Amino acid sequence: MPQVNIIQEIEALRAQVRLWEHAYYVNDTPLVPDSEYDRVYRQLQDLETEYPALISTDSPTQRVGGKVQGGFLSIPHAVPMLSLNNAFGSDEVRAFDQRLRDLLDSPNSELDYLTELKFDGLAISLTYENGVLVQAATRGDGNNGEGVLANVRTIKNIPLRLHGHHLPKLIDVRGEVLMTRFDFQKLNQSQEKNGGKPFANPRNAAAGSLRQLDPAITSQRKLSFFAYGVGRLEGFGDALDLVPRSQARLLAWYREIGIPVSSWTQLVSGVSGVLEYFKKIEEARLQLPFDIDGVVYKVNDFALQNTLGFTSNAPRFAIAHKFPAEEMLTTIKAIDVQVGRTGAITPVARLAPVLVGGVTVTNATLHNQDEITRKDIRIGDTVVVRRAGDVIPEVLSVLVEKRPTSAQTFVMPRHCPVCQHILEKSEDAAILRCPGGWSCDAQKKGQLRHFVSRDALNIDGVGEQLIESLIDNNLVNTPPDLFYLEAKILARLPRMGEKSAQKVVSACEAARRVALGRLIYALGIRHVGESTARDLAQHFGSLNALRQAARGEVNLPTPNELPNHLFGDLLSEPLKISLDDAQTDAQTRALNALQAVKDVGPVAALALYEFFTNAFAQQWLTRLEGLLEIEAPLIASQTNTRHPLFGKSMVFTGTLPTWSRSVVEERARRCGAKIVGSVSAKTDIVVAGSEAGSKLEKALTLGVTVWDEAQFIEVLGE
């Protein structure tokens, strides 16, 4: 007989899961990350498997979903809407595949699987009678759902009537209602603007929108639907050959009759095929317009599905392969501050190590003091940490109920931890800054890392560790110093042999020839990104012209002088100040000259003015200018109109093996091509690298010409 403490542990786990399920499914307010729910749920499952006599009918493991929320008609499902069992690694997927082959008495043969995305939305059942939508219900508890037909009818991509011939008398379409990330952001902005509570994530936003008692509210929120399964399918009459015999054929038929289906499905063979699909989707995940939390594998053949059958709450023939958790619980051990390249002071939480998104995380950004205060984050707290792709981990929330009595409040320092300057805070900013600039080693290292980065001067081999060593050994203090480095001196540094030292010197030499736009970006001026740097280069044409304008050394032209190349559009309305004022005030002249450039506002203009009037920065910039061969941007009249790329609309996507995105786009522009951000029927060429994702897929669907980097370089003629 099980010990009393085992019984108590099982009951405590059930109570915890019930609490979380009610918050998630009924209140649309998750209390913990999905990973924590999965961990506790599996712990309960394992104990009930070990002690089957303790399984009770009211255990959370014995039902599928949440309760039916009050205010909606309860709709029974003729065919239960079951959940899927989960796999959390490739070994569990292999075990699933082997188990199916053993059940089918064919342990050495490969099964065909249809692989699909596991949408992070709300499962729903749509019933069509004679092709007309007559009922819609949420999953609910799997046996009974909430009738939401009036709300579902507002979802634009759900057909109210199917099209085609030989439609069945009745079909129960199973699928997912979801909200895209873009529409989720817009909804939350609207919620906050109107004093409402923002939603925690797109899944809860979709659930909350679909469960509105007033369909007019649902209609204002953009929801989408994708089908992936079927419940009942009756009444084909004599046209039995039209009945789908596989999962792949079912989805193809759905497309034919107007039911939306994801284009990311794929028919694969064997366990190697499903794992390859998982890797592909994991790499493309962040480029999808909506959230997914894994992929689904289903035995493709319906006859084999029927043979394999079901357990009490899940099909045996399908499994959900979950991504590594991107939200986890851990504790804050300490809070330090870091100094960024522009002097921004960022508090950083030092965490008890935790595996998040497949990576061990020990630090997370806390953004600023206002954010720490708003979330009430303290040293010693148990917190939810999120990591998505390559994004810096951040603390989402605090579990206040787990706060220890020893938890400590954090207060930002008054002095820079690196150079001891007194920190400054502007009236309209939440960020503290160190005013030390290049005299602060932290900012100096950050600026040099930016200067050599791939989208700036792209000096290969000069990484973070080498920059640390160069500055610590007083070999480099400003960007021009990089071009005086000698291989024999570099070779004496730790982890730097003769060959590596020579490669660094050669890379610096190769970087001497640089486009003006890339150089402006490399200078690390606040609020001046790649796009703004290109616009400045195109507008002024030379570094000297930009310097003079930014220092207010060039008088504004009179209307009779407007053809002047440098300030041709300066007097376009609205004029920010009068000409008389502009000619008496260097700063005002500078700000007006700079704001005449496309997309340069007052903040970026002031940052440019401060950089180009800083005596120390201008001293090393003058030295740098003498060391570089600066390429001026081409103007339209200089472009070869006979070049194959002239006038072409081009999209670059994915990671290219040789050149950075900014380099290839710059080369294409110099040939007269127009660079756009999205693929459409008007796009002429897509250049795709690895992890190209949805843009590549859309290009192939539209029949747009697709090149790899080698083809682009060949046409470029370089």
Side-chain angles (χ1 to χ4, degrees):
M1 183 174 179
Q3 300 177 358
V4 174
N5 61 338
I6 296 296
I7 298 174
Q8 291 175 339
E9 183 178 359
I10 288 176
E11 285 303 322
L13 290 171
R14 287 172 180 165
Q16 186 68 81
V17 171
R18 289 188 191 108
L19 173 66
W20 291 343
E21 284 185 339
H22 183 81
Y24 189 92
Y25 290 109
V26 179
N27 296 335
D28 299 323
T29 308
L31 297 178
V32 293
D34 289 349
S35 58
E36 183 68 5
Y37 172 89
D38 290 339
R39 184 188 68 79
V40 174
Y41 188 90
R42 176 165 281 202
Q43 189 178 351
L44 174 59
Q45 277 184 318
D46 291 345
L47 284 174
E48 289 183 341
T49 300
E50 187 176 355
Y51 302 99
L54 297 181
I55 296 176
S56 63
T57 57
D58 66 342
S59 173
T61 63
Q62 303 306 299
R63 63 182 176 85
V64 178
K67 296 178 180 179
V68 176
Q69 188 174 7
F72 291 95
L73 180 67
S74 179
I75 302 291
H77 297 302
V79 176
M81 293 185 70
L82 302 179
S83 60
L84 294 173
N85 289 324
N86 294 325
F88 292 96
S90 56
D91 288 344
E92 293 187 18
V93 173
R94 293 189 182 94
F96 161 77
D97 174 69
Q98 186 63 56
R99 185 165 61 250
L100 296 193
R101 289 187 284 124
D102 290 343
L103 287 170
L104 294 170
D105 199 24
S106 55
N108 298 318
S109 62
E110 285 193 335
L111 291 170
D112 287 335
Y113 293 96
L114 193 75
T115 55
E116 305 170 2
L117 303 180
K118 186 179 184 300
F119 301 108
D120 194 11
L122 186 71
I124 199 161
S125 167
L126 306 178
T127 303
Y128 290 85
E129 291 183 0
N130 298 315
V132 178
L133 180 64
V134 297
Q135 182 174 286
T138 63
R139 172 184 282 162
D141 63 4
N143 294 310
N144 298 280
E146 305 157 3
V148 288
L149 178 61
N151 290 345
V152 161
R153 289 172 66 88
T154 70
I155 300 176
K156 297 296 190 293
N157 76 330
I158 292 181
L160 302 182
R161 179 184 290 274
L162 305 178
H163 57 75
H165 302 291
H166 303 295
L167 294 173
K169 182 178 179 180
L170 184 146
I171 180 173
D172 175 11
V173 178
R174 301 288 170 81
E176 199 94 355
V177 170
L178 52 87
M179 182 176 288
T180 67
R181 298 189 189 107
F182 176 77
D183 290 329
F184 169 69
Q185 292 173 355
K186 290 182 66 176
L187 174 60
N188 266 356
Q189 289 170 0
S190 176
Q191 288 285 103
E192 293 175 349
K193 182 179 179 180
N194 297 322
K197 180 182 178 182
F199 289 96
N201 52 54
R203 187 265 168 206
N204 289 92
S209 300
L210 197 61
R211 286 169 170 161
Q212 290 293 324
L213 295 177
D214 182 1
I217 297 177
T218 307
S219 67
Q220 297 171 5
R221 300 178 180 179
K222 292 185 178 180
L223 299 176
S224 300
F225 170 80
F226 291 107
Y228 51 65
V230 64
R232 285 194 298 167
L233 180 56
E234 302 172 359
F236 264 110
D238 295 333
L240 294 179
D241 59 320
L242 297 178
V243 179
R245 305 296 182 186
S246 69
Q247 183 71 17
R249 179 55 196 148
L250 172 71
L251 298 188
W253 176 61
Y254 276 169
R255 292 189 183 97
E256 293 169 9
I257 62 177
I259 297 173
V261 174
S262 168
S263 60
W264 286 85
T265 60
Q266 184 177 336
L267 186 61
V268 302
S269 181
V271 70
S272 60
V274 298
L275 293 178
E276 185 177 340
Y277 175 82
F278 179 85
K279 181 180 179 181
K280 180 182 77 171
I281 297 301
E282 189 174 30
E283 291 173 349
R285 180 183 182 186
L286 295 180
Q287 298 180 35
L288 296 174
F290 42 72
D291 286 349
I292 60 173
D293 56 4
V295 297
V296 176
Y297 312 135
K298 297 175 183 175
V299 172
N300 185 49
D301 188 276
F302 281 169
L304 294 181
Q305 288 188 10
N306 291 333
T307 300
L308 291 166
F310 302 80
T311 65
S312 60
N313 63 356
R316 289 193 181 92
F317 56 79
I319 197 166
H321 189 177
K322 302 290 283 288
F323 293 129
E326 293 189 332
E327 292 183 9
M328 291 292 289
L329 294 182
T330 187
T331 55
I332 295 180
K333 298 299 184 182
I335 297 178
D336 300 329
V337 296
Q338 290 182 343
V339 185
R341 70 176 180 86
T342 62
I345 307 295
T346 304
V348 177
R350 307 303 179 187
L351 308 170
V354 61
L355 194 66
V356 187
V359 175
T360 299
V361 170
T362 56
N363 305 312
T365 180
L366 298 177
H367 300 291
N368 53 59
Q369 182 66 62
D370 290 351
E371 190 75 356
I372 293 174
T373 302
R374 185 179 70 82
K375 293 179 179 177
D376 190 21
I377 297 171
R378 304 182 189 181
I379 301 169
D381 274 341
T382 296
V383 294
V384 178
V385 178
R386 175 171 64 188
R387 177 185 180 274
D390 294 327
V391 177
I392 299 172
E394 65 173 333
V395 172
L396 285 184
S397 59
V398 175
L399 272 64
V400 179
E401 63 273 17
K402 291 192 174 186
R403 173 170 289 161
T405 55
S406 59
Q408 302 174 27
T409 302
F410 172 77
V411 178
M412 291 286 281
R414 294 185 64 247
H415 295 82
C416 173
V418 176
C419 67
Q420 302 307 311
H421 274 88
I422 297 177
L423 301 180
E424 299 175 350
K425 181 178 180 181
S426 58
E427 294 180 1
D428 59 346
I431 299 174
L432 284 172
R433 291 190 182 277
C434 168
W438 284 86
S439 66
C440 175
D441 275 0
Q443 293 180 63
K444 183 188 301 182
K445 292 173 181 178
Q447 290 284 19
L448 284 171
R449 284 195 297 269
H450 175 78
F451 184 81
V452 303
S453 65
R454 194 176 188 192
D455 293 325
L457 260 69
N458 191 24
I459 304 181
D460 191 36
V462 183
E464 185 170 351
Q465 287 186 340
L466 179 56
I467 287 175
E468 293 269 347
S469 187
L470 290 172
I471 291 176
D472 291 344
N473 286 277
N474 202 32
L475 294 176
V476 170
N477 283 294
T478 59
D481 298 335
L482 291 167
F483 299 96
Y484 291 99
L485 292 173
E486 298 179 16
K488 62 181 180 181
I489 296 177
L490 283 175
R492 300 172 189 165
L493 297 176
R495 300 180 297 277
M496 180 64 68
E498 291 183 7
K499 287 186 178 180
S500 297
Q502 187 55 56
K503 284 183 179 179
V504 168
V505 172
S506 298
C508 290
E509 186 64 27
R512 287 176 182 264
R513 182 182 178 186
V514 59
L516 176 60
R518 289 168 67 84
L519 175 59
I520 294 170
Y521 173 68
L523 298 179
I525 304 167
R526 282 181 64 195
H527 309 297
V528 177
E530 290 179 76
S531 178
T532 301
R534 282 197 302 270
D535 290 339
L536 288 164
Q538 191 67 45
H539 186 89
F540 291 107
S542 70
L543 183 61
N544 188 53
L546 170 60
R547 180 193 286 113
Q548 287 184 319
R551 295 167 67 166
E553 293 176 353
V554 177
N555 289 335
L556 290 174
T558 66
N560 292 331
E561 298 172 323
L562 281 178
N564 181 288
H565 167 68
L566 211 56
F567 298 103
D569 59 350
L570 192 57
L571 295 183
S572 57
E573 294 293 332
L575 194 60
K576 298 173 180 63
I577 59 168
S578 72
L579 291 175
D580 289 341
D581 289 339
Q583 293 193 353
T584 58
D585 184 344
Q587 179 174 339
T588 305
R589 287 198 303 270
L591 297 183
N592 276 274
L594 293 167
Q595 289 181 79
V597 181
K598 175 187 173 185
D599 294 334
V600 173
V603 174
L606 182 60
L608 285 158
Y609 171 78
E610 290 176 345
F611 175 83
F612 283 103
T613 54
N614 180 284
F616 179 73
Q618 294 315 294
Q619 184 181 41
W620 64 253
L621 181 58
T622 299
R623 289 177 58 217
L624 182 66
E625 192 176 6
L627 294 167
L628 301 178
E629 180 185 342
I630 304 172
E631 298 177 347
L634 290 178
I635 59 176
S637 61
Q638 296 174 298
T639 306
N640 180 6
T641 57
R642 295 184 179 181
H643 195 283
L645 297 181
F646 183 83
K648 300 295 185 183
S649 175
M650 299 185 67
V651 172
F652 291 85
T653 181
T655 303
L656 300 178
T658 307
W659 285 342
S660 70
R661 179 78 57 83
S662 60
V663 170
V664 291
E665 289 182 351
E666 175 190 313
R667 294 290 198 276
R669 285 191 186 93
R670 292 180 69 85
C671 296
K674 178 183 178 183
I675 310 303
V676 295
S678 58
V679 178
S680 71
K682 296 181 179 180
T683 305
D684 294 306
I685 302 165
V686 170
V687 179
S690 60
E691 304 175 19
S694 57
K695 290 183 181 179
L696 174 58
E697 183 187 16
K698 188 171 183 180
L700 295 173
T701 302
L702 295 173
V704 175
T705 299
V706 177
W707 292 344
D708 59 17
E709 186 190 63
Q711 290 171 295
F712 171 70
I713 294 174
E714 182 180 355
V715 174
L716 205 60
E718 296 190 7

